Amino acid sequence: MVASRRRPLALRIPASRAVPALRNSTSPADPVPVVLLHGTLDSPGAWAPLADALRAAGRTVYVPAFGNRGTGAVAQSVAEVEAYVREIVTGPAGSCGQVDIVGHSQGGLIAYVLALRGLPLRRVISVSGSVGGAPLPRLLAPLAWANGWLARVLIGDGAADQVALARRGALPGVPELGEVGQAGESPAGAKPQVAEWINVVSSHDRTVVPWPEWARRRFPAARTITLEERLGRSRGVPHWAQQTDAGVVSLLVELLTS
């Protein structure tokens, strides 16, 4: 896919404050580093509350920026994050040879692709990940017209790619996505390289398709936690607020330190 040269208009929205790679000065309680991946039109700063909480709990945390705030083509963002994670795994902080990943929205989608590409992931927590893409409500259907031209202008290639994935069940340039042998060809023999996959979702979040049937078949041992059940909130947590919500942050810390 040819990335759009136009700067998405939505990038005029200010980004959250930056969060650098956080390393503990002493030996971490758990030697496996945690990589936090933001979503579309987002930034590392969105993970600040979780990054601070994990560091206080003794974890080494990395929060990369990628894809021009997630507005670039998904294939390019995957490539950027893959290179970043491989560097961590082979560097001093990755002496244990694994990482944990927490991904929100597009970040969960990227983690899914990395698992199928064989990166050594011990645990992935996908928070409303867009593994099955981002379906558009009827009122926003024009964003998908002309191969998502309007979506690319307003929000960028990343958003348009996720809309296309939800509509077509495949994404050019990312063969790991979609139905094996049908909509999306998976590399021969590709197996998920992750010991534990956890989906954290809200039953009321219609922004993404977090876990399509073809993902269930590839990750049969994956488990799903609903925010309504765990937090006792009948309406869950809005998609845009999940990274900074105190209840969600507490849940993620629990999952990453237990």
Side-chain angles (χ1 to χ4, degrees):
M1 176 180 295
V2 178
S4 172
R5 296 181 180 180
R6 189 189 304 272
R7 186 174 187 268
L9 296 178
L11 281 180
R12 296 181 181 181
I13 300 173
S16 305
R17 70 179 178 88
V19 178
L22 303 174
R23 289 191 179 184
N24 295 300
S25 56
T26 58
S27 299
D30 185 334
V32 177
V34 183
V35 179
L36 308 179
L37 301 178
H38 62 77
T40 305
L41 198 61
D42 218 331
S43 68
W47 282 122
L50 179 60
D52 292 341
L54 287 173
R55 186 169 187 265
R59 297 298 301 270
T60 299
V61 184
Y62 291 87
V63 195
F66 60 85
N68 197 13
R69 291 177 58 192
T71 63
V74 168
Q76 181 58 42
S77 291
V78 169
E80 290 180 28
V81 175
E82 180 176 358
Y84 184 91
V85 171
R86 289 191 185 280
E87 184 175 350
I88 292 174
V89 171
T90 58
S95 56
C96 57
Q98 293 179 304
V99 298
D100 290 341
I101 290 183
V102 181
H104 178 252
S105 199
Q106 185 185 162
L109 168 63
I110 292 173
Y112 178 86
V113 177
L114 297 186
L116 284 175
R117 290 189 178 180
L119 271 71
L121 311 181
R122 182 183 67 172
R123 178 188 294 117
V124 172
I125 303 176
S126 178
V127 184
S128 294
S130 59
V131 175
L136 289 173
R138 183 173 300 178
L139 290 176
L140 297 180
L143 290 174
W145 294 351
N147 195 31
W149 175 84
L150 186 57
R152 298 180 195 282
V153 170
L154 295 176
I155 320 174
D157 291 326
D161 285 349
Q162 291 168 87
V163 170
L165 175 60
R167 291 168 66 91
R168 303 171 187 168
L171 187 60
V174 190
E176 293 83 0
L177 298 173
E179 293 285 356
V180 177
Q182 296 180 36
E185 290 293 336
S186 180
K191 298 293 183 182
Q193 297 299 308
V194 57
E196 183 179 21
W197 186 287
I198 304 172
N199 292 304
V200 175
V201 303
S202 172
S203 302
H204 298 280
D205 186 351
R206 300 289 185 266
T207 306
V208 299
V209 178
W211 206 234
E213 182 58 35
W214 42 264
R216 293 188 182 97
R217 290 198 292 271
R218 292 184 186 177
F219 290 76
R223 61 190 177 107
T224 297
I225 297 172
T226 63
L227 294 175
E228 288 82 355
E229 180 180 353
R230 286 299 298 266
L231 303 182
R233 304 180 192 176
S234 60
R235 297 296 297 177
V237 180
H239 189 81
W240 56 269
Q242 290 168 2
Q243 290 166 279
T244 55
D245 180 87
V248 177
V249 169
S250 295
L251 171 60
L252 295 175
V253 171
E254 175 189 334
L255 293 172
L256 287 163
T257 57
S258 60

